[in-house]
Amino acid sequence: KMKNEDCQMCSLRKGCHQVVVGIGNSSKIMVVGECPTKDDDFLGELFTSKEGYYFKKLLFKNGINYSNAYFTYAIKCLGKHNKKHRDICQYWLKKEICENKPRYMLSLGLIPTEVLLEKKIILKYVIGKFCKKIYNDIETIVIPWYNINKLYLGGNNIVQETIKLLGKIKTS
């Protein structure tokens, strides 16, 4: 498994406290956020902003937690990133996918969705679609979704859509 001190592959590592790595159990669900916040970087934990806590609370309340899902970021280090950084971090994300073998990947926002689908997309056209993808002979379903800021600020409709989506994932 990837350790915090392992990656020195790009310039982002020099400007952050640590690589923010995934947490949870190998399972059928992987939740992939965009990138660490300052709080995540300082604490070495995922989704520690107020938006992140709100999102985790929503997931946990609906039965998705560290015991039955794996949580990670598409970009592992804090900082202003570009395509080169995404390409480098994609190596680590694919490694996590191979280790955890998720059946479903909930992709939160444009960056993780483009990384996971390995193509440019317009997010609003793929939100909630179940996109089949194969990584090293592991067939998985990528489900593009809103980033956590949109969930936090988006109001009750987006929260209800999210709860409905989580129910579909849990029962399939």
Side-chain angles (χ1 to χ4, degrees), residues 3-75:
K3 302 283 187 237
N4 285 6
E5 66 277 357
D6 286 349
C7 187
Q8 299 290 327
M9 296 169 66
C10 77
S11 59
L12 287 180
R13 182 64 183 97
K14 293 178 186 114
C16 67
H17 285 93
Q18 57 199 315
V19 178
V20 180
V21 296
I23 186 171
N25 285 320
S26 300
S27 67
K28 73 176 195 175
I29 302 169
M30 180 181 275
V31 179
V32 184
E34 291 188 341
C35 58
T37 64
K38 287 180 183 179
D39 291 334
D40 298 336
D41 177 54
F42 182 74
L43 297 170
E45 296 177 20
L46 296 118
F47 303 111
T48 60
S49 66
K50 67 180 177 189
E51 297 86 358
Y53 277 123
Y54 176 79
F55 176 67
K56 282 195 296 191
K57 184 177 172 184
L58 178 65
L59 288 179
F60 292 3
K61 189 175 178 181
N62 286 279
I64 297 175
N65 55 52
Y66 296 133
S67 68
N68 64 10
Y70 185 83
F71 294 75
T72 192
Y73 285 131
I75 306 292

Side-chain angles (χ1 to χ4, degrees), residues 102-145:
R103 175 74 181 118
Y104 297 97
M105 291 192 288
L106 184 60
S107 176
L108 304 173
L110 182 64
I111 292 168
T113 302
E114 286 186 346
V115 167
L116 291 170
L117 296 179
E118 300 177 304
K119 63 182 180 182
K120 294 291 261 174
I121 55 122
I122 298 173
L123 191 60
K124 68 180 181 179
Y125 296 124
V126 296
I127 289 283
K129 303 256 190 295
F130 283 42
C131 308
K132 191 181 290 189
K133 190 72 179 153
I134 297 177
Y135 298 95
N136 295 355
D137 297 328
I138 299 165
E139 185 177 306
T140 188
I141 306 293
V142 176
I143 307 164
W145 203 242

Side-chain angles (χ1 to χ4, degrees), residues 72-121:
T72 192
Y73 285 131
I75 306 292
K76 309 296 184 195
C77 293
L78 176 68
K80 187 167 171 54
H81 51 269
N82 57 35
K83 184 177 178 348
K84 177 184 163 199
H85 300 119
R86 287 191 292 271
D87 291 346
I88 290 169
C89 282
Q90 188 172 22
Y91 164 81
W92 293 112
L93 183 57
K94 283 185 176 181
K95 188 173 177 181
E96 289 175 299
I97 292 166
C98 290
E99 288 172 357
N100 291 286
K101 299 174 180 50
R103 175 74 181 118
Y104 297 97
M105 291 192 288
L106 184 60
S107 176
L108 304 173
L110 182 64
I111 292 168
T113 302
E114 286 186 346
V115 167
L116 291 170
L117 296 179
E118 300 177 304
K119 63 182 180 182
K120 294 291 261 174
I121 55 122

